[in-house]
Amino acid sequence: MVSIPYLDKADLAPLADAAASWAALPTKYEALQREFEQRVINHLKGHWDGDAADAAFVSMGKARTEYENAATEAERIGKLLQDAHGEFAASQKQLHALLDEARDDHYKVSDDGRVEDVDPRWDSPTASASPGFAEERKKKLDSLVSRLTRVLEVATAADEAASSALERDANGDSESFNTSVYTTLDAVEADQAAALMNKKGRLSDAEITKLNLLLSANKNDPEFSRDFAVKTGGENMLSKYNELMSPPAGTTLSKAQLAQLKELKANLGTTIGTATTSDDHRKGGPDPEITKFQNDLLKAGQRDFNANPTESPYGLSGYQLTSSLMSEGKWDKDFLQDYGDALITADKNAGDAGQNPDAYWGYPRTLGTTNIGALDPMAGYMDALGHNPEASTEFFGSETTVNGEKVDHYDYLMKDRHWPEGAGYTGDPKNPNGYNNLGHALESAVTGHSYDSSPSADTPAHNQDQAALMQKLVQDVSDDGELAHDGMQDSLGRMTAEYMPDVYRGLRPDGESEEDFLPLGNSVSANFSERDITRFMYTVGQDPDGYAAISYGQTQYSAELMNYHLSHPDAYGLSDKETIYEISETGAQVDGILSLGRQDSAVQESAEGDKVFNDRLASAGDWGKSITSIGIGVGTAAITSPVGGAVAGEVAGNVSGQLIDMVVSDLERDSSDDALYASGADLESSKSAVQAQLRNAATISVAENSSGLNQAEIDTAVNNGAEAGNGYANDKSRSYAQKRG
């Protein structure tokens, strides 16, 4: 692999000069060709006849062709060298930026790529013991290592591709000029990767390493991914992937070999996903070759791929292999719709024939000795939707016709389908439940961003379809709490946090008409009834992950709403004290409903219940801070600041970001007796904690906006509002949630 010192100090000027020199050659060859024609061929024409003349003119014609071929080869080599220079220069620039970043942030990068944290604060017991310091430094170090590795991978792949292309002699024994010289490194690397995927027999460790390098370096490159997919072919790609992940029985793989195969799964899935989107902006419509590739994957769905037929008559189906890859990267929206229709059809047909998903997708099918992948293809497909918000919103709002019967996608997956249990079905030992993957898809569908990324000021406002799906989901869980399936509550919690303006509206008697007090900006409202949103939060709040996400959503929104109104006093017309009271009242309602759900949960009633909830609340702190960039809600950037989201995000970091830091810091304190936020064993402690949060939010907002309120006035407004809100929360929970049959 290219080393850091080599790339750091490499002088790329000679390569640029060589590219320019080769690029100038075609003009010179063309001039020589014209001179040869004028001074030799044209001069002899009409003055030389006979057999010797005929033979000479044939030879001179070939010479003219050689001039043309020489010009073509020179032009193509010039383009290849220019592309290589561009790749190396980009990698070098990225490396220099990373080395500067590391130096500025007190990390030492060794020549062999090792990164060491040399922050002087480690020498101070006080500084190094501050909450979150060690975790933050570790996260930055890991990020640097990952980005450095990627830069070196890209540079290495480019270096090897350039060497291979320049050494290649496509003419074989011919002494003629080579007109089929590569012009881009992408084409070289795509050919190399496709050749490995098309090779008969198992790949060696060195070949798997090479394939991994090529895919990792180019997995987000549309040109490479497209060429690789087309040259590999749909069925052949699935067959080779299955072969690599299913070595013969008795094969013992080392940890390093298993790690290589897991990395290959991720790289291949991302690459194929990129290939399916490579023609999204193509002039003239879809690329016929990519359309064929996608159709081949669909046709291969119900085909069995058996890497070891002498050991077992059964193999994995094309759906299982494709879905396994789909969990990585972002796949084309239209293909995901077609694939989802086909997968639900196969799934439901099996059910109608008496085979539930456990039997249809499970034994005697197995993942093989590597145990890489997932038996339930719906799991990977849900994660594919989770990475493509546009596709997931469309999918959950549509239906499939199976044997003349209309099957609503949302109802089938949320209410009707039996989801198999076990890590073998999901491919994830930490989440042996497909409902976790369903939660990812729904989260993407209603929020407008990938489930594994956070919202930002640039996240599109909630549209009609997203809001309608969220409204339906809340109503369904309200009617049947069992639909908040184990494994998906973390997603339900995060979804609710991003719909906090709609939650506040649902809890307030005049919420829907309070557009000035609870602005939605460009977002479409999800109209939650008081009963439905109360039941929903009470149910989701019984899960530690769901509780943590909604709690941070309330914390963030209350703080930013206070800051918004104190900085825009004419937006609603209340005094600062009245504003703080009103927001505290509704914020306390949300927290009160969550707290009652927490108290009534089976987890809280266990011996470690309080610790479990608080540990999840602490671990979710980073995610809580990540949502501060949305200010008072997705789609509200235009109304929170005259210049939009940049200022809104900066203010958010000053208000709710500080507040969440306080909560996390308190949760991580050693003395639980003194930790206000960490105590949730009884309702009075929860009330005190939310009052403290609201009081801190109000105090910071008052200071940010130079309000005339003193601390006593702030405390009175918060305490009175929170007390009223807790009372409403208790009444609503008792009436709507705790007595529900």
Side-chain angles (χ1 to χ4, degrees):
M1 184 173 287
V2 170
S3 68
I4 288 177
Y6 182 85
L7 183 59
D8 181 29
K9 304 299 183 184
D11 181 5
L12 300 178
L15 180 58
D17 292 342
S21 296
W22 278 96
L25 277 178
T27 301
K28 295 179 180 179
Y29 279 126
E30 289 166 2
L32 287 172
Q33 178 188 345
R34 286 194 299 272
E35 185 175 1
F36 176 71
E37 288 181 349
Q38 292 169 3
R39 299 185 62 178
V40 178
I41 298 178
N42 293 342
H43 182 74
L44 292 174
K45 280 183 177 178
H47 301 285
W48 189 19
D49 294 315
D51 293 341
D54 292 341
F57 280 121
V58 170
S59 296
M60 286 186 281
K62 291 179 180 178
R64 179 171 54 192
T65 300
E66 286 297 292
Y67 278 120
E68 294 173 352
N69 291 344
T72 299
E73 181 171 355
E75 179 185 20
R76 295 179 74 86
I77 290 177
K79 288 180 178 179
L80 178 69
L81 293 177
Q82 186 178 32
D83 188 50
H85 179 270
E87 290 266 9
F88 295 141
S91 293
Q92 188 179 65
K93 182 178 180 181
Q94 291 170 11
L95 176 64
H96 289 165
L98 286 173
L99 293 177
D100 289 342
E101 178 186 332
R103 195 176 303 112
D104 293 343
D105 213 1
H106 302 292
Y107 291 97
K108 179 183 177 182
V109 180
S110 301
D111 288 349
D112 62 1
R114 288 183 298 109
V115 181
E116 182 182 358
D117 189 349
V118 293
D119 194 313
R121 286 177 291 179
W122 286 112
D123 296 329
S124 166
T126 302
S128 61
S130 63
F133 175 76
E135 184 178 351
E136 179 185 357
R137 295 298 296 173
K138 177 66 164 55
K139 186 177 294 184
K140 287 185 177 180
L141 186 148
D142 290 344
S143 174
L144 271 170
V145 170
S146 175
R147 287 179 288 157
L148 282 167
T149 300
R150 171 139 185 85
V151 167
L152 296 179
E153 283 181 345
V154 171
T156 300
D159 186 48
E160 292 179 357
S163 175
S164 174
L166 293 172
E167 292 173 357
R168 173 175 175 264
D169 183 9
N171 285 355
D173 294 333
S174 171
E175 297 180 357
S176 301
F177 287 96
N178 178 13
T179 59
S180 62
V181 173
Y182 286 108
T183 59
T184 68
L185 296 185
D186 275 345
V188 182
E189 293 165 343
D191 274 358
Q192 290 176 333
L196 289 170
M197 289 295 287
N198 290 327
K199 178 185 174 183
K200 293 189 180 300
R202 291 192 61 79
L203 301 183
S204 67
D205 288 349
E207 288 171 326
I208 293 174
T209 299
K210 174 68 173 179
L211 180 58
N212 250 334
L213 175 66
L214 291 166
L215 296 180
S216 179
N218 296 283
K219 59 189 176 184
N220 296 310
D221 184 328
E223 181 181 347
F224 167 90
S225 299
R226 183 262 180 206
D227 289 349
F228 168 74
V230 169
K231 290 171 181 176
T232 302
E235 285 205 27
N236 184 66
M237 185 269 296
L238 294 179
S239 181
K240 178 59 72 173
Y241 170 63
N242 182 51
E243 178 184 284
L244 290 169
M245 300 301 157
S246 305
T251 303
T252 301
L253 298 176
S254 67
K255 289 184 178 180
Q257 289 172 315
L258 278 172
Q260 276 281 319
L261 290 176
K262 288 178 180 178
E263 183 183 352
L264 181 61
K265 170 186 177 293
N267 289 333
L268 183 58
T270 302
T271 301
I272 298 303
T274 302
T276 65
T277 63
S278 63
D279 61 350
D280 282 359
H281 305 291
R282 180 177 180 269
K283 292 182 179 179
D287 180 345
E289 296 281 7
I290 288 298
T291 298
K292 180 182 183 303
F293 177 81
Q294 293 173 344
N295 287 337
D296 287 346
L297 288 181
L298 288 172
K299 291 176 184 176
Q302 297 191 55
R303 224 204 88 181
D304 280 347
F305 292 79
N306 196 339
N308 303 300
T310 59
E311 297 164 12
S312 171
Y314 303 100
L316 295 176
S317 75
Y319 287 130
Q320 290 171 307
L321 294 169
T322 303
S323 289
S324 172
L325 293 170
M326 267 187 179
S327 62
E328 309 288 345
K330 183 176 180 178
W331 291 55
D332 178 69
K333 178 178 76 72
D334 294 332
F335 176 69
L336 287 177
Q337 300 304 312
D338 293 339
Y339 185 84
D341 285 345
L343 183 56
I344 282 186
T345 298
D347 202 70
K348 191 168 189 312
N349 277 335
D352 292 344
Q355 280 187 296
N356 65 21
D358 302 71
Y360 188 65
W361 303 116
Y363 185 81
R365 301 180 190 272
T366 63
L367 293 176
T369 56
T370 63
N371 209 34
I372 295 174
L375 289 174
D376 184 1
M378 206 65 77
Y381 175 60
M382 289 296 103
D383 276 354
L385 290 179
H387 289 130
N388 192 324
E390 190 179 357
S392 57
T393 304
E394 180 178 322
F395 181 77
F396 283 114
S398 58
E399 58 189 17
T400 300
T401 300
V402 181
N403 296 326
E405 174 191 356
K406 291 188 180 300
V407 179
D408 181 272
H409 294 160
Y410 168 86
D411 285 341
Y412 179 72
L413 296 172
M414 188 74 176
K415 303 174 183 178
D416 302 333
R417 185 180 194 255
H418 166 74
W419 290 76
E421 293 277 349
Y425 285 102
T426 64
D428 183 2
K430 295 180 180 178
N431 292 292
N433 186 320
Y435 285 120
N436 181 64
N437 309 91
L438 174 59
H440 294 166
L442 288 169
E443 188 175 349
S444 165
V446 303
T447 64
H449 62 82
S450 174
Y451 77 88
D452 50 5
S453 66
S454 298
S456 70
D458 297 325
T459 300
H462 297 151
N463 60 37
Q464 184 64 52
D465 292 336
Q466 292 167 343
L469 180 59
M470 184 66 185
Q471 186 174 319
K472 177 176 175 56
L473 185 62
V474 167
Q475 184 175 340
D476 284 346
V477 172
S478 168
D479 292 339
D480 181 1
E482 295 297 320
L483 291 179
H485 303 284
D486 288 342
M488 66 188 300
Q489 292 97 332
D490 57 339
S491 288
L492 294 176
R494 290 190 293 268
M495 292 150 63
T496 309
E498 293 189 40
Y499 276 81
M500 198 52 65
D502 309 79
V503 171
Y504 272 47
R505 287 183 173 214
L507 291 175
R508 294 174 65 85
D510 300 319
E512 290 184 24
S513 62
E514 292 180 322
E515 294 182 5
D516 294 330
F517 186 59
L518 303 169
L520 288 173
N522 297 321
S523 283
V524 175
S525 174
N527 296 317
F528 306 135
S529 72
E530 185 179 76
R531 184 202 73 159
D532 287 346
I533 197 58
T534 299
R535 285 182 169 182
F536 180 86
M537 289 196 298
Y538 174 85
T539 299
V540 177
Q542 294 184 44
D543 176 83
D545 290 314
Y547 173 90
I550 300 177
S551 179
Y552 278 129
Q554 179 277 128
T555 299
Q556 181 273 339
Y557 184 62
S558 294
E560 294 312 319
L561 194 60
M562 284 185 188
N563 184 70
Y564 166 72
H565 280 294
L566 292 183
S567 63
H568 298 78
D570 297 328
Y572 193 63
L574 292 178
S575 68
D576 289 353
K577 190 172 182 179
E578 290 171 322
T579 295
I580 293 171
Y581 174 92
E582 292 290 335
I583 295 171
S584 297
E585 178 193 290
T586 313
Q589 277 194 66
V590 174
D591 187 84
I593 294 167
L594 288 176
S595 296
L596 285 165
R598 170 175 173 170
Q599 297 309 306
D600 291 345
S601 73
V603 176
Q604 183 65 65
E605 292 172 0
S606 67
E608 293 292 308
D610 212 43
K611 183 179 185 305
V612 172
F613 272 93
N614 293 329
D615 284 350
R616 300 293 176 84
L617 198 58
S619 64
D622 284 343
W623 176 83
K625 286 190 69 174
S626 75
I627 65 173
T628 61
S629 62
I630 64 175
I632 57 171
V634 170
T636 61
I639 62 173
T640 56
S641 164
V643 293
V647 172
E650 181 182 344
V651 173
N654 289 334
V655 183
S656 59
Q658 292 181 56
L659 186 59
I660 291 172
D661 272 340
M662 292 178 186
V663 176
V664 174
S665 175
D666 194 67
L667 287 163
E668 293 177 345
R669 289 168 63 181
D670 291 335
S671 176
S672 60
D673 292 338
D674 297 332
L676 176 63
Y677 300 133
S679 179
D682 59 72
L683 292 176
E684 288 305 316
S685 297
S686 296
K687 290 178 183 178
S688 297
V690 76
Q691 284 185 356
Q693 291 174 24
L694 292 166
R695 187 161 53 249
N696 287 332
T699 301
I700 297 171
S701 295
V702 165
E704 287 279 345
N705 296 285
S706 302
S707 171
L709 293 180
N710 59 42
Q711 192 61 51
E713 292 173 314
I714 294 172
D715 292 349
T716 298
V718 168
N719 293 341
N720 289 343
E723 190 64 35
N726 277 310
Y728 290 136
N730 185 69
D731 292 343
K732 291 175 183 178
S733 296
R734 302 290 180 198
S735 175
Y736 296 135
Q738 294 176 324
K739 293 182 180 179
R740 132 175 103 173

